[in-house]
Amino acid sequence: NAGVTQTPKFRVLKTGQSMTLLCAQDMNHEYMYWYRQDPGMGLRLIHYSVGEGTTAKGEVPDGYNVSRLKKQNFLLGLESAAPSQTSVYFCATNRTPGGYNEQFFGPGTRLTVL
Amino acid sequence: DQQVKQNSPSLSVQEGRISILNCDYTNSMFDYFLWYKKYPAEGPTFLISISSIKDKNEDGRFTVFLNKSAKHLSLHIVPSQPGDSAVYFCAASTTGTASKLTFGTGTRLQVTL
């Protein structure tokens, strides 16, 4: 089992370009999350999904869109990249609630916007 | 507004000694707390957690203490090992919020020989 995988691992964009980050999980988890990590800021939630076909905004959603067409995939889109979106992006998953469960993280995508 | 705070950006401890990492929170609705460990170029990995109905949870060398009245939790690592050198994030969650986590800013632990 691969767990949580992220594609790509690294990417450099120019301001105004668009791209999609892919998160895939083989753990059959219902909940999926996108975070960004910036120096001195910890991890901040961008968007999340509580199941296939659902999405919701997190703490810092502006400039990003997401889709969860399949249970195992959660896509994060940047329509017009800005230098402020230079960050490391992490995807995470969680089992269906019914108890307290930890989130499982992917290895991250390092994005630089010039 | 930072609801989860880790006021020490870094900590250096000798091998074999105790490491104590601290975390404070402001939201009294938080009822589940977790610690994550992160190595460079990797995603965070879950370390240990504690529910608000407890004040202590132990797992091997790792113990988390929760003081609800002070809104403070701490992670104790005894004995510290060089492989424990990493960034540690404290996180908090509230029942009924889709298990969303609010993270602290992290503490970089260096365990020296």
Side-chain angles (χ1 to χ4, degrees):
Chain A
N1 291 344
V4 182
T5 59
Q6 293 183 233
T7 309
K9 289 186 169 51
F10 304 93
R11 186 72 186 269
V12 178
L13 290 179
K14 294 182 180 178
T15 297
Q17 287 185 317
S18 63
M19 79 163 294
T20 300
L21 283 69
L22 169 64
C23 176
Q25 54 110 349
D26 61 4
M27 296 183 288
N28 201 34
H29 285 178
E30 289 292 336
Y31 285 19
M32 298 186 75
Y33 312 82
W34 276 108
Y35 293 90
R36 58 178 289 174
Q37 185 196 4
D38 303 293
M41 301 290 289
L43 284 87
R44 293 181 293 168
L45 183 64
I46 305 171
H47 285 280
Y48 65 100
S49 168
V50 300
E52 181 179 320
T54 75
T55 62
K57 293 180 180 180
E59 180 186 356
V60 288
D62 294 342
Y64 305 95
N65 57 75
V66 287
S67 65
R68 183 100 180 266
L69 299 180
K70 294 182 179 180
K71 182 177 182 178
Q72 63 268 31
N73 294 338
F74 195 28
L75 279 65
L76 177 70
L78 287 74
E79 289 187 352
S80 179
S84 61
Q85 294 177 304
T86 293
S87 188
V88 181
Y89 292 85
F90 291 101
C91 175
T93 71
N94 198 336
R95 295 196 300 269
T96 308
Y100 292 118
N101 300 309
E102 70 271 19
Q103 292 183 12
F104 297 84
F105 283 81
T109 295
R110 183 174 293 276
L111 175 65
T112 302
V113 183
L114 303 176
Chain B
D1 178 32
Q2 192 75 25
Q3 297 187 66
V4 179
K5 301 177 184 179
Q6 294 176 256
N7 292 319
S8 298
S10 63
L11 175 68
S12 183
V13 172
Q14 273 190 325
E15 182 180 10
R17 299 287 189 112
I18 183 172
S19 296
I20 300 176
L21 292 85
N22 294 305
C23 178
D24 296 294
Y25 61 96
T26 57
N27 187 343
S28 58
M29 297 301 292
F30 288 143
D31 56 7
Y32 187 58
F33 304 89
L34 308 89
W35 285 93
Y36 279 84
K37 176 179 181 180
K38 186 183 179 305
Y39 292 118
E42 295 183 9
T45 55
F46 170 73
L47 189 59
I48 192 169
S49 62
I50 187 167
S51 162
S52 60
I53 63 174
K54 296 184 176 181
D55 55 17
K56 176 183 174 181
N57 188 27
E58 191 172 352
D59 184 2
R61 297 187 295 115
F62 303 92
T63 303
V64 57
F65 295 92
L66 175 63
N67 182 335
K68 288 190 293 293
S69 61
K71 294 189 176 67
H72 176 85
L73 64 156
S74 60
L75 174 68
H76 293 212
I77 306 174
V78 182
S80 300
Q81 298 175 353
D84 296 329
S85 297
V87 177
Y88 289 79
F89 290 98
C90 167
S93 180
T94 304
T95 304
T97 59
S99 301
K100 291 184 293 180
L101 296 179
T102 301
F103 282 86
T105 52
T107 296
R108 182 177 302 276
L109 173 66
Q110 184 175 9
V111 179
T112 58
L113 298 175

